[in-house]
Amino acid sequence: MLWAARASGFFSAAMLMVVLSPSLQSFPPAEAIRSSQFDSHVRFPGQIAGGARGLPFRRAPSFRNAADCGNGTGNVCDPSLVHIAITLDEGYLRGSVAAVHSVVQHAVCPESVFFHFLVSDPSLGDLVRAVFPQLRFKVYYFDPARVRGLISSSVRQALEEPLNYARNYLADLLEPCVSRVIYLDSDLVLVDDVAKLWRTDLGGRTVGAPEYCHANFTKYFTSRFWSEERFAGTFAGRRPCYFNTGVMVLDLARWRDAGYTRRIERWMEIQKSPPGRIYELGSLPPFLLVFAGHVAPIEHRWNQHGLGGDNIHGSCRDLHPGPVSLLHWSGSGKPWARLGAGRPCPLDALWAPFDLYGPAAVEPSR
């Protein structure tokens, strides 16, 4: 009961902060979005990876551009588009759908956002079309065999999934005309217009992301790494800072010119070769090895990460100080799992409004 009382108080405080802080309020649809009520219950009939069938999702509210947005050609090479890449798989599908929903709900020009979905099961594109009939998107098959031999064990099985490494290959998978893309993880929601993030000035850098220079950078690498000069010297002449790869703005033109995919693969090969590991965790350390110290800093408001602390172990997280444009449930606890189990953390209530999983609510008769 004491835990419940504390949780209730924390929840009330969190919601009060949302009400009082303009930076946390969802931008009102106004001219940007003409929302209807959830108008249909969509049951996806196809075979989902792992054998799941009939996943129920509600159709998203309709949306359209504000009057001054323009509609463009809709072609993937249209220079007026905002490009977003995100993965789709069964385990995180509910999160991916919520992430997309949050983007279009807060975009002033939602019809000018083009999604690039990275999948190992191409049939998932049918679900996207059913849930978001107006969405501009393309599905890209990522062959797990491409990285399976490069993946080393990690602290969580989810970090070992091949699709978790698809972000390394965006420059190869996306059309050459796509010179910039925002990469988003599946366990986050936006509460701001994604076009603001899109307009980030990278200052000639290839990667833009919020940096956390006070984090313990050394813990991501093993004692072998730090004891051998050929490895430890990698960061000589630069000031490396931790950054979370779940939210990045990528200059794909520069990436292609510099061959960064192969550089990342090379570090993964070293990790797998004798005499042993040089880093911990999954897909993050190779990004740090290649880019840390050369990242264009982005405001922290665009990645309030670490919200996936598991409340069973007493580690529900609070928001970091400052304004918020993106909430990210990185970590082991996911809001959809905790809500489904009836054990949510207080901040999971900020994810729930974007959840489209389950049958449409039945309005009471009058």
Side-chain angles (χ1 to χ4, degrees), residues 307-312 315-317 329 332-348:
L307 304 184
D310 192 342
N311 68 324
I312 294 176
S315 58
C316 282
R317 306 295 177 85
W329 279 260
S332 60
K334 303 306 175 188
W336 56 89
R338 294 192 297 228
L339 287 165
R343 296 194 299 268
C345 284
L347 291 179
D348 294 346

Side-chain angles (χ1 to χ4, degrees), residues 76-77 116 138 140 170-171 173-179 252 256:
V76 68
C77 294
H116 304 263
K138 184 175 179 179
Y140 301 79
L170 286 169
L173 293 169
L174 274 55
E175 287 76 4
C177 64
V178 179
S179 60
L252 296 183
R256 294 177 182 119

Side-chain angles (χ1 to χ4, degrees), residues 74 99 125 142 149 154 172 224 277 310 313:
F142 180 72
S154 186
D172 299 334
R224 179 197 171 201
R277 305 168 66 95
D310 192 342
H313 302 293

Side-chain angles (χ1 to χ4, degrees), residues 26 41 80 97 109 115 151 157 168 171 186 192 195 243 262 274 311 320 324 355:
S26 296
H41 170 230
S80 69
V97 170
C109 304
F115 284 87
I151 298 175
Q157 185 176 355
N168 302 358
S186 299
D192 205 341
F243 65 96
R262 182 59 195 141
N311 68 324
H320 306 297
V324 179
D355 186 18

Side-chain angles (χ1 to χ4, degrees), residues 2-337:
L2 179 59
W3 177 89
R6 287 176 176 173
S8 176
F10 181 41
F11 175 77
S12 299
M15 295 312 294
L16 180 62
M17 181 165 50
V18 172
V19 171
L20 294 179
S21 174
S23 64
L24 272 174
Q25 293 176 7
S26 296
F27 281 30
E31 295 181 2
I33 304 173
R34 303 292 191 268
S35 298
S36 63
Q37 295 297 316
F38 294 133
D39 58 332
S40 180
H41 170 230
V42 176
R43 185 172 292 275
F44 181 55
Q47 176 71 34
I48 306 296
R53 288 184 179 272
L55 293 177
F57 283 87
R58 299 187 296 276
R59 183 166 292 128
S62 59
F63 56 82
R64 72 183 189 195
N65 281 353
D68 59 348
C69 290
N71 290 317
T73 64
N75 183 281
V76 68
C77 294
D78 183 344
S80 69
L81 294 176
V82 171
H83 294 275
I84 297 176
I86 189 169
T87 60
L88 293 178
D89 67 0
E90 181 191 356
Y92 283 73
L93 190 59
R94 188 171 172 183
S96 297
V97 170
V100 173
H101 187 201
S102 73
V103 170
V104 297
Q105 280 290 327
H106 291 96
V108 174
C109 304
E111 292 178 287
S112 299
V113 179
F114 195 102
F115 284 87
H116 304 263
F117 293 112
L118 312 176
V119 305
S120 295
D121 178 3
S123 68
L124 290 175
D126 297 336
L127 182 144
V128 173
R129 178 60 63 201
V131 176
F132 300 99
Q134 298 169 266
L135 199 69
R136 290 177 173 173
F137 72 92
K138 184 175 179 179
V139 172
Y140 301 79
Y141 175 71
F142 180 72
D143 186 355
R146 189 164 187 176
V147 292
R148 192 164 277 135
L150 297 173
I151 298 175
S152 53
S153 59
S154 186
V155 294
R156 296 203 318 271
Q157 185 176 355
L159 299 179
E160 300 173 25
E161 293 298 324
L163 202 58
N164 195 44
Y165 293 81
R167 74 194 81 187
N168 302 358
Y169 298 90
L170 286 169
D172 299 334
L173 293 169
L174 274 55
E175 287 76 4
C177 64
V178 179
S179 60
R180 172 182 281 219
V181 69
I182 296 171
Y183 177 82
L184 298 177
D185 270 352
S186 299
D187 52 357
L188 53 77
V189 294
L190 276 78
V191 291
D192 205 341
D193 184 3
V194 71
K196 298 178 183 178
L197 179 59
W198 176 256
R199 292 192 292 266
T200 297
D201 181 5
L202 297 184
R205 302 291 176 90
T206 302
V207 174
E211 290 185 296
Y212 303 88
C213 295
H214 297 295
N216 182 3
F217 186 83
T218 62
K219 70 178 182 179
Y220 297 102
F221 303 95
T222 65
S223 57
R224 179 197 171 201
F225 178 91
W226 293 115
S227 64
E228 295 189 28
E229 178 57 30
R230 62 182 176 132
F231 296 141
T234 300
F235 298 113
R238 47 178 165 149
R239 182 171 177 257
C241 295
Y242 164 78
F243 65 96
N244 181 281
T245 56
V247 180
M248 297 184 289
V249 180
L250 304 176
D251 185 327
L252 296 183
R254 287 183 175 274
W255 184 297
R256 294 177 182 119
D257 289 343
Y260 283 122
T261 295
R262 182 59 195 141
R263 297 192 197 185
I264 289 173
E265 286 182 330
R266 181 56 186 148
W267 281 113
M268 295 174 71
E269 290 168 354
I270 294 173
Q271 166 83 343
K272 295 285 286 186
S273 64
R277 305 168 66 95
I278 60 171
Y279 59 75
E280 304 296 348
L281 294 178
S283 61
L284 170 64
F287 262 84
L288 296 179
L289 287 163
V290 174
F291 295 110
H294 299 305
V295 172
I298 293 177
E299 288 183 274
H300 288 179
R301 67 186 301 154
W302 287 107
N303 195 353
Q304 282 266 345
H305 69 292
L307 304 184
D310 192 342
N311 68 324
I312 294 176
H313 302 293
S315 58
C316 282
R317 306 295 177 85
D318 199 353
L319 291 173
H320 306 297
V324 179
S325 293
L326 184 151
L327 298 147
H328 187 186
W329 279 260
S330 58
S332 60
K334 303 306 175 188
W336 56 89

